[in-house]
Amino acid sequence: MTTKKAVSMNDSTAANDAPDWGALLARVAETDDKAAFRAIYQHFAPRIKAYAINQGFSQHAEVLVQEVMTSVWRNADKYSASLASVSTWIFTITRNQRIDILRKLNRTRAEIVIETEDLWQIPTEDTTICSIQNLSTEKFVKAAIDKLPEEQMIALRKVYYEGKTHEEVAEELKIPLGTVKGRLRLSLQKLRVMFEAKEL
């Protein structure tokens, strides 16, 4: 495959709301579509940065964003919708790039805190992050989410599994935006309680 040059994010315009990420990746792969790439960048770059901060990796957050998005640009043709969602594919790249950076910094595997796609987009200001970083297994995280009331679990999964915005979830579930935010807030509060109990 021909290696693409790095792309300036000022070279294109944002895509419409609720884009088809798979279709956008296909445009990047087939025609080096800069507008499609910018839409992907604008949506996922903040999530990658938040993930880095959540993992105690804030010092290298910007480097991680650039490494991941460069890899997305160069390897868009390798994405397969039959194997994973775009969000999962980019999360996997993000996780692997972070591990590579840690190795370059001569940091041990033991310093790599819990990495779970379920929670990679949790807002950095939420103090639940501190508890998540201290957990040792993803199994507990998944079990904790499963214990949430169904309405809260659904809202949480749509945001953190599927990468949807609060507005998209409100439209899909046909409920007010405030209700979505309320359910997410309550779910995170309950997760925090479970995480803190785990640490005791």
Side-chain angles (χ1 to χ4, degrees), residues 7-198:
V7 179
S8 169
M9 299 316 300
N10 294 321
D11 289 341
S12 57
T13 57
N16 294 329
D17 292 338
D20 181 337
W21 301 119
L24 289 175
L25 269 178
R27 284 163 51 187
V28 173
E30 295 167 5
T31 64
D32 292 358
D33 191 313
K34 294 177 181 178
F37 181 72
R38 183 179 180 183
I40 294 169
Y41 188 104
Q42 289 182 329
H43 181 79
F44 287 101
R47 289 161 169 76
I48 296 167
K49 186 173 183 179
Y51 165 82
I53 295 171
N54 295 347
Q55 294 288 317
F57 203 60
S58 57
Q59 185 177 357
H60 304 285
E62 293 296 340
V63 173
L64 182 62
V65 170
Q66 293 305 315
E67 290 292 333
V68 172
M69 296 314 300
T70 297
S71 182
V72 170
W73 170 253
R74 291 175 174 171
N75 298 290
D77 63 331
K78 296 180 181 178
Y79 169 71
S80 173
S82 64
L83 298 178
S85 68
V86 172
S87 179
T88 296
W89 184 67
I90 294 179
F91 168 77
T92 301
I93 293 173
T94 301
R95 180 188 59 200
N96 292 340
Q97 288 287 356
R98 176 177 174 273
I99 292 173
D100 286 344
I101 292 172
L102 283 173
R103 287 172 176 162
K104 290 176 183 177
L105 294 172
N106 294 319
R107 291 170 60 178
T108 66
R109 183 80 183 190
E111 293 180 82
I112 301 172
V113 296
I114 182 170
E115 307 218 3
T116 170
E117 185 185 358
D118 306 3
L119 302 170
W120 80 304
Q121 298 177 64
I122 283 184
T124 57
E125 66 270 18
D126 196 284
T127 55
T128 306
I129 297 305
C130 296
S131 297
I132 293 172
Q133 291 176 345
N134 292 327
L135 295 178
S136 59
T137 65
E138 295 185 15
K139 183 177 180 180
F140 177 79
V141 176
K142 294 179 182 296
I145 293 174
D146 289 340
K147 291 179 181 178
L148 294 171
E150 184 176 6
E151 292 182 345
Q152 295 171 21
M153 180 178 64
I154 290 173
L156 189 72
R157 287 185 180 279
K158 286 188 177 298
V159 171
Y160 302 129
Y161 268 109
E162 302 174 24
K164 295 181 178 178
T165 65
H166 295 178
E167 290 78 8
E168 289 170 341
V169 174
E171 182 177 355
E172 181 176 337
L173 298 179
K174 302 187 185 304
I175 58 177
L177 178 60
T179 300
V180 172
K181 292 182 177 180
R183 291 178 182 178
L184 289 170
R185 183 174 61 254
L186 289 172
S187 67
L188 290 174
Q189 289 173 348
K190 291 177 180 179
L191 286 175
R192 183 185 303 118
V193 171
M194 286 186 273
F195 296 154
E196 290 173 350
K198 173 72 172 178

